[in-house]
Amino acid sequence: MTHGNPEFDLIARHFTRPAANAVLGVGDDAALVDVSNGMDLAVSTDTMVSGTHFFPDVDPENLGHKALAVNLSDMAAMGAMPYWAMLALTLPTVDHAWLEAFAKGFYDLAAEFNVSLIGGDTTRGPLTLTVTIMGEVPAGAALRRNGAKAGNDIWVSGNVGDAALAVAHRHGKVVLSEEDYREAVMRLYEPTPRVALGQALRGMATAAIDISDGLLADLGHICRLSGVGATVDLAYIPVSAIGARHSHDGPGLTAIVAGGDDYELCFTAPANARESIADLTDVLNIPLTRIGQIKRGKGVSLQAEGKPVKVDGRGYDHFSGT
Ligand code: ADP
Ligand code: MG
């Protein structure tokens, strides 16, 4: 389809595929979706800016994956089922090979999660990607950040630190072997959103968040909104084999507890849910690890062998130092 207009050509060529879930997809002034009865619509947006959220030399296919993955992760953290995505693209130039690879990364992940791209916007400017995701969650059943209670356990899915270790390596703060870097950087570029886990935790978790800014910072958000504090035991924080090799030096430890970009879920649950949560590990084949406890008071304290541990940096803050 050619309109003789480069913007329309770009959209028609790269971002117009049938939207199985929508009443009306790309092409009109707005998309139309049919939200089921008894469901709340869950909506979230994430923007990624070149140089801030990704290295400018990133493989566009990885970037397409990541732009959608970080949004799917927000649906996971709410316990929502994602269905619809919007893509706002700001591009410095029109590079069809780049766009083709980007679209492949995006659509491949979308297909894996049965998500339809139903619209967006395309503009010229510094490379910036904004994805809006929408999904459904049974009315009143969404996992929120504000439900943690004193005495609850704190859990983390998978393991944390690899993505931040790859970034720290790129910045010369830690040195990974070539093989470790190659593996860790894939966690950075192609995170696995924990969508099935989020939905399975409905009615079980009292609060949940996805780890985008760092374990301590994101757990801190749960604490602040729930009006509680937390104690985390360093020895229990799950790390990969790569993480284990770097957890004993300062910058490595900082990457593990304060580095972002892992997109694992951190959630809280009462002690009587331990068995059901352990069962989820088997059903979903995702490690789930208990790392600490919610306490009365405020703030997150990190401990090792019962003594407080101080770590440099508490997670990524876009406006710190401004
Ligand atoms: P409008 O003039 O209403 O802003 P546009 O010309 O921006 O419409 O977009 C035309 C159609 O293409 C709309 O349905 C819009 O949602 C869709 N669209 C634009 N950019 C993208 C994109 N990057 N990805 C997916 N759909 C897009
Ligand atoms: Mg527009």
Side-chain angles (χ1 to χ4, degrees), residues 91-108:
L91 303 167
T93 53
V94 176
D95 174 345
H96 286 293
W98 191 96
L99 282 162
E100 200 165 303
F102 176 87
K104 181 178 187 329
F106 190 98
Y107 277 112
D108 282 356

Side-chain angles (χ1 to χ4, degrees), residues 42-56:
V43 189
S44 175
T45 291
D46 256 307
T47 293
M48 303 204 316
V49 179
S50 180
T52 302
H53 298 91
F54 55 91
F55 297 112

